[in-house]
Amino acid sequence: MNTQSTQPVNKLQPSPAGLDEKKTKKIKDRRAFEKKIVCEMIDLYEKGNPNTIKTEDLKTYARLRIDKCPFMESKTFCSACKVHCYQAQKRDEIRQVMRYSGPRMLLHHPVMTIHHLWIEHHDLFKRMFYLLVGFIGLILGFIGAVLPLLPAFPFLLLAAFGFGRSSKKLNDWFLQTDLYKNNIKDWREQRGMTTAAKRRVLITISLVMLFGFLMMSKVPWARWILVFVWLGHLAYFKYRIKTLPAGSAPQ
């Protein structure tokens, strides 16, 4: 007789208790912050428009809506929610508050407002930051490809990092440029460089360090540090970066 259980086996591992506690705390903190900022906006509205709405009733109602919101984990704030759970009258009142207090919050509560904007537009700000990193790396990498004393390699890696996390269109464009193909394509795709590419990078690094070495004639200990750093670069490029055959370099 088969005594094996017919219950389906759950192959998914249960999530650690620590992760659930962290998620619960995050939701709780978000609810508390949203309550605080909504109440501050209502108070600010009351100062400029006294006795036009029942502010305490609106505060109580807003707190209740926030407590019952089922989307708190995934959404940002009520202003960005697609589900309108307010009653018609309360919705009109909170819209009045938002229209009046929203532009004034930065002046009266700058830290709270910036925090609110960061949470509500977190992904946009991150994308803008990585986009800026990509353009800085691209500009410095282009200058480094022209000027012999500025290394292009690290800056072009920075550009690839920034564009890869901000814009698919810009990243695809960058991967097709000669600047990318002639400088970092081999390293990114095969974790290696041709002998000519290694020589070009090491000559640039050596010239920069030689300049620093000559300028530190009165600081002998700093000169020794530069020498060891230079030797470390030589060893790293020789033993840790694979040497690719010249034919693998893009034409």
Side-chain angles (χ1 to χ4, degrees):
M1 187 176 192
N2 188 359
T3 59
Q4 290 184 352
S5 172
T6 59
Q7 294 291 331
V9 178
N10 184 8
K11 296 182 179 181
L12 296 177
Q13 295 294 328
S15 58
L19 291 180
D20 291 337
E21 292 174 3
K22 186 177 180 180
K23 184 188 297 184
T24 302
K25 183 178 184 303
K26 180 181 178 181
I27 295 173
K28 183 179 178 181
D29 291 345
R30 183 168 288 184
R31 289 189 198 276
F33 181 71
E34 186 162 353
K35 289 179 186 178
K36 183 177 180 181
I37 198 167
V38 166
C39 289
E40 291 290 351
M41 294 181 79
I42 294 173
D43 288 339
L44 188 58
Y45 178 86
E46 176 64 19
K47 290 179 182 179
N49 305 272
N51 303 320
T52 55
I53 61 175
K54 295 180 179 179
T55 54
E56 292 303 319
D57 288 349
L58 185 58
K59 283 183 185 180
T60 302
Y61 184 81
R63 292 192 194 101
L64 180 63
R65 291 289 83 200
I66 292 169
D67 281 333
K68 292 183 177 296
C69 177
F71 308 110
M72 192 59 61
E73 180 185 355
S74 58
K75 82 180 184 72
T76 52
F77 288 99
C78 288
S79 57
C81 188
K82 297 180 180 180
V83 178
H84 300 291
C85 61
Y86 277 56
Q87 296 174 357
Q89 180 184 349
K90 297 298 183 185
R91 191 184 308 148
D92 291 339
E93 291 177 355
I94 201 67
R95 283 175 176 169
Q96 292 178 43
V97 170
M98 297 294 178
R99 281 195 294 265
Y100 177 84
S101 301
R104 294 169 173 81
M105 282 293 289
L106 188 59
L107 180 63
H108 291 81
H109 302 284
V111 176
M112 183 184 296
T113 305
I114 292 172
H115 185 196
H116 171 82
L117 291 173
W118 170 253
I119 294 175
E120 188 165 354
H121 302 290
H122 180 70
D123 291 337
L124 176 62
F125 290 151
K126 281 181 64 176
R127 183 171 175 271
M128 290 174 63
F129 171 76
Y130 284 125
L131 200 61
L132 179 62
V133 167
F135 276 114
I136 290 175
L138 178 64
I139 292 170
L140 293 178
F142 176 78
I143 295 173
V146 176
L147 299 180
L149 292 181
L150 186 66
F153 183 76
F155 295 121
L156 294 176
L157 283 179
L158 188 67
F161 173 81
F163 290 145
R165 284 160 179 76
S166 60
S167 171
K168 184 179 184 304
K169 185 179 293 187
L170 279 174
N171 186 58
D172 291 343
W173 167 80
F174 180 64
L175 297 183
Q176 299 303 316
T177 62
D178 290 338
L179 200 60
Y180 169 82
K181 293 177 180 178
N182 294 333
N183 288 276
I184 64 172
K185 180 179 180 180
D186 290 335
W187 188 88
R188 286 194 75 201
E189 295 182 358
Q190 304 181 55
R191 284 298 183 265
M193 301 172 70
T194 63
T195 301
K198 282 187 178 183
R199 187 182 301 117
R200 185 168 60 248
V201 173
L202 286 173
I203 287 175
T204 303
I205 292 173
S206 299
L207 289 174
V208 172
M209 290 190 173
L210 177 61
F211 177 77
F213 184 85
L214 295 175
M215 296 297 293
M216 294 179 180
S217 58
K218 296 182 179 180
V219 192
W221 59 269
R223 281 186 157 189
W224 279 108
I225 291 176
L226 271 180
V227 169
F228 283 118
V229 170
W230 179 70
L231 291 174
H233 275 86
L234 291 181
Y236 181 80
F237 274 80
K238 181 175 178 60
Y239 298 109
R240 299 301 299 272
I241 295 182
K242 181 171 58 175
T243 301
L244 302 176
S248 66
Q251 299 300 322

